[in-house]
Amino acid sequence: MNAFELAELLFPDVTMTPQEAEALYPLRTLPEGAKVTRVAPSPTGFVHFGTLFPAFVSERLAHQSGGTFYLRIEDTDSLRYVAGAEQDLVDTLSYYGIHFDEGPGTDGETGIYGPYWQSQRKNIYHIFAKQLVQEGKAYPYFPSDEELAALKQVNKKIKIKTGRRRQRRRKPHNNPAELHGQRRLRHPLRRVVHLYYISLQMETVKRRYFSPI
């Protein structure tokens, strides 16, 4: 199985190209020097200073330069989700005079560059993930909850503060479909795409990060 066949197996419903996806979001018409900034909190509880302060700075930077400030909700952490936290966030920003030009609100989304909910942007990311797999720059990996828990313990032991353990891995198998099994590719328990980057200093290829899709 080559990279194109693997990409089709992973993303059979993706027919749009990255170029076509980018065409859906034209450049904003803004004055020279204008900044586009955003705040992207998680709806996991009350708004704290760590969100409020960067939101204030981002809003001032955008509006004082004639630009755009938008709000995006990072709602992908379903385990920590708190019902109603999104509205509390919008209300808190408004209370402190922090007003966004684009993003989710009481009456729906404002702006043409949505969705402004991270969980609803999955289809966009699949387009680019498929291209990366086609180009051999990404490959599928199916960690179980037990494996992730074990790697988290390794993180704590060696004091790595990067979330999930960035486990050293060899170069992707020449035939990932055979490596992980045809059935699991078609019915994955968890699908993760690993990306590689070139380290110019070390003159080697290392895994940069992986993101669930």
Side-chain angles (χ1 to χ4, degrees):
M1 176 178 289
N2 59 37
F4 277 87
E5 293 171 336
L6 176 60
E8 286 299 325
L9 189 60
L10 291 171
F11 306 101
D13 299 326
V14 175
T15 58
M16 186 177 294
T17 66
Q19 292 74 22
E20 292 171 334
E22 290 176 352
L24 298 176
Y25 301 95
L27 295 177
R28 292 178 170 85
T29 303
L30 297 172
E32 184 178 357
K35 309 298 182 183
V36 177
T37 62
R38 66 104 173 97
V39 62
S42 299
T44 53
F46 294 110
V47 179
H48 54 79
F49 187 75
T51 295
L52 195 61
F53 177 72
F56 174 77
V57 173
S58 297
E59 187 269 344
R60 288 291 81 205
L61 178 62
H63 290 162
Q64 289 180 1
S65 65
T68 299
F69 172 63
Y70 69 90
L71 169 67
R72 185 179 68 215
I73 302 296
E74 296 283 348
D75 60 333
T76 56
D77 190 351
S78 59
L79 295 178
R80 298 175 58 222
Y81 173 75
V82 175
E86 305 96 324
Q87 189 58 50
D88 288 341
L89 169 66
V90 172
D91 293 342
T92 300
L93 294 179
S94 177
Y95 177 83
Y96 285 99
I98 303 174
H99 304 289
F100 52 89
D101 306 296
E102 302 174 13
T106 304
D107 300 323
E109 291 189 341
T110 301
I112 64 172
Y113 297 93
Y116 295 95
W117 299 78
Q118 187 72 290
S119 63
Q120 298 176 16
R121 301 177 66 84
K122 179 175 65 175
N123 291 339
I124 301 174
Y125 303 141
H126 281 186
I127 296 171
F128 293 88
K130 183 174 183 177
Q131 183 185 43
L132 290 172
V133 174
Q134 289 175 336
E135 295 175 350
K137 297 176 181 177
Y139 66 98
Y141 174 52
F142 306 100
S144 65
D145 290 336
E146 292 75 14
E147 289 172 326
L148 292 177
L151 294 176
K152 187 175 180 180
Q153 293 302 316
V154 174
N155 272 358
K156 293 181 179 180
K157 183 176 181 180
I158 61 178
K159 299 181 179 180
I160 291 182
K161 299 179 179 180
T162 55
R164 295 173 179 174
R165 168 69 170 160
R166 295 177 179 179
Q167 185 182 18
R168 291 179 179 269
R169 302 183 64 82
R170 295 182 179 180
K171 186 177 180 180
H173 193 275
N174 291 333
N175 194 334
E178 291 182 358
L179 180 64
H180 295 289
Q182 290 278 359
R183 185 179 66 84
R184 201 170 188 189
L185 283 172
R186 291 193 176 92
H187 305 285
L189 299 176
R190 184 192 301 270
R191 182 183 299 166
V192 175
V193 167
H194 286 253
L195 304 180
Y196 276 79
Y197 78 109
I198 303 298
S199 174
L200 298 180
Q201 294 179 345
M202 299 299 294
E203 296 183 354
T204 186
V205 178
K206 296 183 179 179
R207 186 167 62 81
R208 176 69 177 185
Y209 59 87
F210 58 89
S211 56
I213 55 175

